Amino acid sequence: MAQLRRPTVQDHVALAEIELCGELIIAASAADGERLSADRIDEVLNVTVERRAPARSPGSACPARTSRPARRTGARGE
């Protein structure tokens, strides 16, 4: 019986999440100390804090955070 090949399906969101986890692991292994600071995690994940007047709900103390896709160039060619 001939084997049927399944079409290759890629979940781009899952692949992006795996890449971000890898970046965090690399940063954590290169860091001094036990933990990465919140600022360092934001830097690794390319997260920025919006500086405009945020619309906060009562009792909310955290500014809104947004993520920007990373543009990389380097030895890995990514």
Side-chain angles (χ1 to χ4, degrees):
M1 178 187 283
Q3 290 183 345
L4 298 175
R5 265 185 115 159
R6 289 185 174 180
T8 303
V9 177
Q10 292 184 353
D11 184 338
H12 296 286
V13 173
L15 292 173
E17 289 178 358
I18 291 167
E19 182 177 354
L20 292 173
C21 287
E23 296 295 329
L24 284 172
I25 291 168
I26 291 167
S29 66
D32 294 331
E34 280 188 35
R35 298 177 182 222
L36 293 175
S37 68
D39 289 337
R40 179 66 180 129
I41 292 170
D42 287 349
E43 180 183 337
V44 170
L45 299 178
N46 294 316
V47 175
T48 60
V49 177
E50 291 183 9
R51 298 289 181 206
R52 59 190 159 127
R56 296 183 186 171
S57 60
S60 173
C62 296
R65 293 183 180 260
T66 59
S67 179
R68 294 183 305 195
R71 284 205 173 259
R72 292 190 203 135
T73 58
R76 294 188 289 179
E78 296 175 348

